[in-house]
């Protein structure tokens, strides 16, 4: 909480932890280099009505009025990238969804952001998360870069809880 007369601390994007528990594990090896796509949007419905008032010159009757009201709320997909390890947790999660076990594979994902003193100051939760895509980076015998494992995850709810 910000004290009176103090400015809020600007958080840095590199101090985060993504928590994801798979198959009853308390914590999976969910250390990521990059997480993208944390979005929640609301559609806009535009209604155009014509009033009974006359306006302008000549025979014109009525004034068109546009009103915008909130529509459906949608969540985006997140893309998680990490250095590939010998763990096959994410592949197994994806495999269980594609072989028909989708309903039991919906998980809760939380994203925590930390301040410069390593204290969690923001947390977002995504409910009903399940993998929609699994990818590994192209391989090249001449490369010295780390192999990247990428998982795209759909989710239903997205809310800030802290």
């Amino acid at each position: 909480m910000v004290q009176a007369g103090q400015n809020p601390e600007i958080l840095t994007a590199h101090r985060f932890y993504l928590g994801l528990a798979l198959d009853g594990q308390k914590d999976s090896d969910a250390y990521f280099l990059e997480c993208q796509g944390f979005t929640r949007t609301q559609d806009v419905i535009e209604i155009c009505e014509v009033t009974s008032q006359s306006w302008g010159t000549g025979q014109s009757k009525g004034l068109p009025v546009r009103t915008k009201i909130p529509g459906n709320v949608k969540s985006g997909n997140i893309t998680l990238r990490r250095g590939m390890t010998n763990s096959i947790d994410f592949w197994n999660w994806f495999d269980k969804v594609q072989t028909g076990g989708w309903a039991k594979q919906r998980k809760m994902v939380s994203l925590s952001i930390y301040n410069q003193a390593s204290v969690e100051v923001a947390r977002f939760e995504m409910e009903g998360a399940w993998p929609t895509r699994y990818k590994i980076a192209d391989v090249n015998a001449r490369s010295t870069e780390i192999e990247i494992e990428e998982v795209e995850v759909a989710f239903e709810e997205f809310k800030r809880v802290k």
Side-chain angles (χ1 to χ4, degrees):
M1 178 159 281
V2 178
Q3 301 290 331
Q6 288 183 336
N7 290 329
E9 179 179 357
I10 304 293
L11 304 175
T12 58
H14 73 278
R15 298 181 65 84
F16 71 93
Y17 174 74
L18 188 95
L20 174 61
L22 299 176
D23 293 330
Q25 300 174 20
K26 182 159 175 57
D27 286 311
S28 188
D29 53 349
Y31 293 97
F32 293 94
L33 300 170
E34 190 176 330
C35 304
Q36 296 178 335
F38 297 98
T39 60
R40 185 90 166 148
T41 59
Q42 187 158 17
D43 289 338
V44 175
I45 299 170
E46 192 169 297
I47 299 173
C48 183
E49 301 172 297
V50 179
T51 67
S52 59
Q53 301 170 357
S54 62
W55 64 287
T57 58
Q59 300 292 330
S60 296
K61 297 270 186 200
L63 175 66
V65 176
R66 293 190 183 277
T67 305
K68 294 182 180 184
I69 62 173
N72 291 334
V73 176
K74 298 183 284 189
S75 296
N77 292 350
I78 56 174
T79 301
L80 311 173
R81 289 184 188 92
R82 70 177 185 171
M84 189 172 198
T85 67
N86 59 355
S87 169
I88 62 171
D89 286 349
F90 291 108
W91 172 257
N92 287 340
W93 188 31
F94 179 75
D95 189 52
K96 287 177 184 174
V97 169
Q98 74 176 353
T99 56
W102 173 81
K104 293 181 181 177
Q105 296 307 312
R106 295 169 61 218
K107 307 293 181 187
M108 201 278 284
V109 177
S110 64
L111 170 70
S112 298
I113 309 288
Y114 295 88
N115 66 12
Q116 296 302 315
S118 296
V119 175
E120 180 190 67
V121 293
R123 185 173 60 247
F124 299 86
E125 292 180 350
M126 287 132 297
E127 294 282 343
W130 55 276
T132 65
R133 183 173 59 97
Y134 179 89
K135 176 185 173 186
I136 62 169
D138 295 340
V139 293
N140 183 335
R142 295 173 296 201
S143 175
T144 58
E145 296 180 6
I146 62 173
E147 181 61 28
I148 301 295
E149 180 179 39
E150 183 178 298
V151 179
E152 184 175 333
V153 177
F155 57 92
E156 297 165 0
E157 297 291 326
F158 178 58
K159 61 185 173 183
R160 184 171 180 172
V161 295
K162 183 174 185 180

